[in-house]
């Protein structure tokens, strides 16, 4: 077949395959156009999941009549200057409208503020009609009917109406978070309406918009982020570790106001929460990155959902560092939703309350309960025995507390059950603390504490596990990691560029106990490995590090391996479930938790405590 020039319609249909994937893609492109036009109100109407109808109406600046024909021509845009690296608008490629018109029936009706009347243009499967007068208010209305009628094969890949409508709703919510001063409405054929009233473009207004999208619980369980490094500004909110989701759909990221789904950002969020969340749970985040447009490439894909940073290591390090610093500075907090789940468990016929986190290698909450005997009161092992019964001859030895608190384990049994605090601190003073004063230990695993307005239940093993883990991490990262010399150096063959990257990071790797050096153009010689790793697969470790440096310009793989070993050591060096504690011991544990960042969850992601407000307890008994 001879080489020939493709028709304009065929070119647009090929482009539509990249730009217009599903109805939600059409909504995204049209809403972005409305926002670039300065709209303060955007209304979206769909039918048939968006396949039958999509109508987007805005009150923006509008399109002059003389420019309507250009608006539906390929590669025509008003948003791009002569510098492709200085992109400050959401759209810039000039492909969306002609691509949509090539696979659907498209009409555009627009009026400018200075125009005496509106004008309209239509495209039917790539055929452009003449511009004609129309009646309309200031702004633009774009109507798309019979999506993919010109390319029916694409319809086979569409999901059900409900799934397409859900994808459209997610797109609108994602965009709306970045533009709190704009009012959004989305209406479907099923008469369900999403309405997001405009708020102020201030930190409070942005958080109010986030609450509209993500639910009223999020602000009460979120931590503010505000950090700057080398010209890159990061702002937003992340959830506390005990407030999680089963998937990452509620992780919103924006680069210069543009919603993105970037692997680097997602990986950084995952790394920041690595040791405070279960593996199958995800944090809830809204993060805004602001940086010089010339340092980020948004022209990676026609859909504009991917970006490339000039310095990915800087961006990743900023996100990880800012989130970890915010978590450390937020103190100890329990999710407000924990109390709701706990109250539901108390109601007749309710299923037992359980956290969704994994329990592999640990006694689950239910197992800890049954260890006391589910058939009733057991005077030999039941946690209902009073504190003044002491430990007896078989009292376990204290393990893992700081030296300053070791005395709490060796002072002998408490004189009576009424002695609920140490001698130096009266119980009344402890009631004002975050976790309050210890009142009892139940089922030999759970500490019951009282504050001025709540009841707190603490999992003693999970709590102490986090304390020991944080102490081990601090010791691990405050000085160089001990290393072990290999009898014979391990030679690892690598591509030359990987060997060069590893050599450039050799000083950092040496701090973590990994000593290596170049060994010819395409290899490195490993002479030392971290002692904590014991016998390890050096070849695989070095290759993993090379891959990570290539992707993110970091060496966090080695650090994460050492942290996992510290987590295992913390688990085995903590106060075990089933051990009786005295009041002084329990209060010492509570005070340590209050002073330790991240102690709201153990290092496997399980919550260490649950707080039930007095008002909730009174509601359970019908007193409110």
């Amino acid at each position: 077949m001879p080489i020939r020039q493709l028709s304009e319609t065929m070119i647009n249909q090929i482009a539509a395959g990249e730009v217009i994937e599903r109805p939600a893609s059409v909504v995204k492109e049209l809403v972005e156009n409305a926002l670039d036009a300065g709209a303060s109100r955007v209304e979206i109407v769909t039918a048939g999941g968006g396949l039958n109808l999509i109508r987007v109406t805005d009150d923006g600046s509008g399109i002059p009549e003389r420019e309507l024909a250009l608006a539906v021509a390929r590669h025509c845009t008003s948003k791009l200057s002569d510098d492709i690296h200085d992109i400050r608008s959401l759209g810039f490629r000039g492909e969306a409208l002609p691509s949509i018109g090539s696979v659907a029936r498209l009409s555009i009706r627009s009026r400018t503020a200075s125009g005496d009347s509106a004008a309209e243009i239509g495209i039917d499967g790539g055929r452009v009609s003449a511009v004609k007068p129309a009646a309309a208010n200031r702004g633009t209305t774009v109507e798309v009917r019979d999506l993919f009628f010109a390319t029916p094969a694409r319809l086979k890949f569409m999901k059900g109406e409900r799934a397409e409508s859900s994808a459209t709703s997610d797109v609108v919510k994602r965009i709306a978070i970045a533009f709190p001063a704009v009012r959004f409405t989305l209406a479907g054929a099923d008469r369900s309406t999403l309405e997001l009233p405009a708020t102020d473009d201030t930190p409070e207004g942005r958080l109010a918009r986030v609450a509209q999208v993500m639910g009223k619980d999020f602000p009460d369980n979120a931590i503010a982020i505000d950090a700057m490094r080398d010209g890159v500004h990061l702002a937003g909110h992340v959830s506390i570790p005990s407030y999680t989701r089963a998937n990452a759909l509620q992780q919103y990221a924006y680069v210069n106001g543009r919603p993105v789904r970037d692997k680097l950002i997602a990986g950084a969020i995952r790394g920041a929460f690595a040791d405070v969340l279960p593996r199958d749970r995800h944090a809830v985040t809204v993060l805004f990155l602001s940086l010089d447009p010339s340092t980020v490439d948004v022209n990676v894909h026609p859909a504009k959902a991917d970006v490339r940073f000039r310095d990915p290591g800087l961006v990743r390090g900023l996100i990880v560092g800012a989130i970890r610093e915010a978590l450390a500075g937020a103190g100890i907090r329990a999710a407000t939703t924990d109390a709701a789940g706990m109250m539901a468990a108390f109601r007749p016929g309710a299923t037992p309350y359980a956290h969704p986190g994994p329990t592999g290698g640990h006694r689950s909450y239910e197992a800890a309960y049954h260890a006391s005997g589910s058939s009733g009161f057991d005077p030999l092992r039941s946690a209902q025995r009073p504190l003044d019964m002491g430990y007896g001859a078989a009292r376990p030895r204290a393990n893992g507390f700081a030296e300053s608190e070791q005395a709490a384990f060796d002072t002998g049994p408490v004189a009576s059950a009424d002695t609920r605090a140490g001698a130096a601190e009266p119980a009344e003073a402890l009631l004002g603390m975050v976790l309050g004063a210890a009142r009892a230990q139940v089922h030999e695993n759970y500490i019951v504490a009282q504050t001025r307005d709540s009841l707190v239940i603490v999992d003693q093993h999970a709590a102490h596990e986090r304390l020991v883990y944080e102490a081990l991490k601090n010791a691990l990262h405050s000085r160089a990691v001990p290393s072990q010399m290999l009898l014979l150096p391990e030679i690892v063959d690598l591509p030359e560029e990987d060997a060069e990257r590893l050599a450039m990071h050799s000083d950092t790797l040496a701090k973590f106990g990994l000593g290596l050096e170049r060994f010819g153009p395409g290899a490195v010689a490993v002479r030392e490995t971290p002692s904590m790793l014991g016998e390890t697969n050096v070849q695989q470790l070095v290759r993993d590090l090379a891959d990570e440096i290539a992707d993110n310009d970091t060496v966090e793989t080695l650090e994460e391996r050492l942290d996992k070993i510290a987590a295992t050591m913390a688990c085995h060096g903590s106060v075990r479930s089933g051990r009786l504690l005295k009041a002084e011991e329990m209060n010492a544990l509570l005070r340590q938790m209050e002073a330790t960042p991240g102690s709201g969850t153990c290092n496997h992601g399980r919550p260490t405590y649950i707080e039930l407000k007095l008002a909730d307890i009174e509601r359970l008994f019908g007193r409110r």
Side-chain angles (χ1 to χ4, degrees):
M1 182 179 292
I3 299 174
R4 62 187 178 89
Q5 175 72 45
L6 294 176
S7 67
E8 190 67 22
T9 299
M10 181 67 70
I11 292 172
N12 286 335
Q13 288 179 345
I14 292 173
E18 298 177 320
V19 179
I20 309 304
E21 180 184 0
R22 60 194 305 185
S25 305
V26 175
V27 172
K28 172 181 178 292
E29 296 292 341
L30 298 182
V31 171
E32 287 181 348
N33 282 345
L35 294 170
D36 284 338
S40 62
R41 175 179 52 82
V42 179
E43 298 176 356
I44 307 106
V45 177
T46 65
L51 293 173
N52 297 338
L53 170 69
I54 297 173
R55 184 188 301 120
V56 177
T57 304
D58 67 69
D59 61 350
S61 58
I63 305 172
E65 181 179 350
R66 65 181 181 278
E67 295 181 5
L68 273 177
L70 279 176
V72 296
R74 186 172 170 80
H75 299 316
C76 295
T77 181
S78 62
K79 306 170 186 177
L80 191 62
S81 65
D82 294 334
D83 186 1
I84 187 64
H85 302 293
D86 187 23
I87 298 174
R88 301 179 183 272
S89 57
L90 296 175
F92 58 90
R93 297 175 64 94
E95 286 187 319
L97 293 178
S99 296
I100 296 169
S102 69
V103 296
R105 295 183 172 90
L106 171 71
S107 68
I108 304 174
R109 187 167 60 253
S110 187
R111 178 179 178 179
T112 62
S114 59
D116 296 331
S117 63
E120 183 176 4
I121 192 172
I123 312 179
D124 193 332
R127 295 186 297 273
V128 183
S129 64
V131 178
K132 59 184 180 181
N137 295 324
R138 175 181 177 269
T140 303
T141 297
V142 182
E143 189 169 281
V144 180
R145 292 185 178 273
D146 302 329
L147 184 62
F148 298 128
F149 89 94
T151 53
R154 294 293 299 274
L155 293 173
K156 299 177 182 179
F157 298 94
M158 296 299 104
K159 298 181 180 178
E161 180 177 338
R162 185 181 297 274
E164 297 299 338
S165 297
S166 176
T168 298
S169 177
D170 180 65
V171 163
V172 173
K173 290 177 181 178
R174 216 167 263 278
I175 296 175
I177 288 178
F179 295 87
V182 179
R183 178 178 180 268
F184 292 85
T185 58
L186 170 63
D190 58 355
R191 299 184 184 277
S192 62
T193 301
L194 170 69
E195 186 167 352
L196 303 173
T199 65
D200 297 329
D201 194 7
T202 62
E204 294 77 15
R206 286 191 286 271
L207 186 58
R209 169 54 60 85
V210 170
Q212 293 174 2
V213 172
M214 305 176 68
K216 61 182 180 180
D217 287 334
F218 179 71
D220 295 331
N221 296 281
I223 306 168
I225 301 290
D226 191 354
M228 172 78 78
R229 183 185 298 176
D230 294 342
V232 182
H233 181 233
L234 177 67
H237 290 80
V238 300
S239 62
I240 59 177
S242 52
Y243 184 85
T244 61
R245 289 289 183 270
N247 55 48
L249 292 179
Q250 288 204 337
Q251 291 183 355
Y252 298 91
Y254 302 85
V255 176
N256 290 340
R258 180 188 305 279
V260 298
R261 294 181 182 272
D262 186 75
K263 291 189 297 183
L264 183 143
I265 296 175
I269 294 172
R270 193 164 51 248
F273 284 92
D275 61 355
V276 295
L277 295 184
R279 290 185 179 179
D280 58 345
R281 304 297 293 181
H282 300 266
V284 182
T285 63
V286 180
L287 297 177
F288 298 91
L289 277 167
S290 301
L291 65 165
D292 188 336
S294 64
T295 62
V296 57
D297 184 5
V298 299
N299 190 26
V300 177
H301 188 275
K304 305 186 294 293
D306 299 324
V307 295
R308 294 292 182 272
F309 297 100
R310 179 180 295 176
D311 191 346
L314 168 64
V315 175
R316 178 183 172 85
L318 174 62
I319 295 173
V320 174
I323 292 178
R324 288 181 176 175
E325 183 178 352
L327 292 175
I332 183 168
R333 290 170 58 184
T336 58
T337 52
D338 287 346
M342 190 174 178
M343 287 182 65
F346 279 123
R347 294 190 177 97
T351 56
Y353 177 78
H355 187 266
T359 57
H362 298 271
R363 299 176 65 185
S364 68
Y365 287 15
E366 291 81 2
Y369 172 83
H370 291 299
S372 297
S374 58
S375 59
F377 178 78
D378 182 349
L380 296 179
R381 64 183 301 131
S382 173
Q384 301 174 43
R385 59 196 294 189
L387 289 173
D388 60 351
M389 293 182 68
Y391 291 98
R395 186 181 77 173
R397 183 176 65 87
N399 188 9
F401 275 103
E403 292 182 5
S404 60
E405 287 155 348
Q406 183 63 41
F409 288 90
D410 302 321
T411 55
V414 180
S416 75
D418 293 330
T419 307
R420 300 183 175 104
E425 244 180 329
E428 184 63 27
L430 297 180
L431 295 179
M433 307 295 286
V434 175
L435 297 180
R439 294 306 194 190
Q441 181 189 25
V442 296
H443 294 296
E444 301 178 2
N445 188 56
Y446 302 102
I447 298 171
V448 179
Q450 173 190 351
T451 70
R452 298 192 193 281
D453 62 350
S454 64
L455 176 74
V456 177
I457 302 176
V458 178
D459 182 334
Q460 69 186 39
H461 172 65
H464 195 233
E465 184 178 354
R466 165 60 68 176
L467 300 181
V468 176
Y469 176 51
E470 291 296 329
L472 284 171
K473 276 206 309 181
N474 290 337
L476 186 64
H477 300 308
S478 62
R479 59 180 182 274
V481 176
S483 61
Q484 56 187 4
M485 182 77 69
L486 298 181
L487 185 61
L488 295 174
E490 184 95 24
I491 308 301
V492 183
D493 293 320
L494 296 164
E496 186 171 350
E497 57 272 18
D498 284 345
E500 178 64 26
R501 293 189 190 101
L502 286 167
M504 290 175 60
H505 286 78
S506 60
D507 291 341
T508 303
L509 292 170
K511 295 179 182 178
F512 291 104
L514 184 67
L516 56 79
E517 59 188 29
R518 289 293 296 270
F519 191 78
V524 295
V526 180
R527 302 186 181 279
E528 296 176 330
T529 60
S531 301
M532 291 178 64
L533 293 181
E535 294 186 9
T536 187
N537 187 335
V538 176
Q539 298 273 343
Q540 189 62 48
L541 173 62
V542 171
R543 289 192 171 92
D544 288 347
L545 287 169
D547 291 341
E548 183 180 346
I549 293 172
D551 287 341
N552 305 315
D553 196 30
T554 65
V555 292
E556 292 189 356
T557 295
L558 184 55
E559 183 176 1
E560 289 172 359
R561 291 195 182 192
L562 296 177
D563 284 347
K564 287 180 180 178
I565 294 173
T568 302
M569 295 170 62
C571 178
H572 292 283
S574 302
V575 174
R576 309 304 300 175
S577 299
R579 173 181 169 183
L580 286 174
L581 298 178
K582 297 180 294 182
E584 292 94 332
E585 296 171 321
M586 291 187 285
N587 278 317
L589 182 64
L590 298 181
R591 301 293 78 78
Q592 272 196 298
M593 289 177 64
E594 293 167 348
T596 303
S599 59
T601 60
C602 74
N603 41 308
H604 300 282
R606 291 191 297 122
T608 58
Y609 78 99
I610 294 173
E611 183 177 17
L612 192 61
K613 293 295 184 181
L614 181 60
D616 295 330
I617 300 174
E618 291 177 339
R619 196 174 296 116
L620 284 172
F621 286 98
R623 299 172 66 94
R624 287 200 172 200

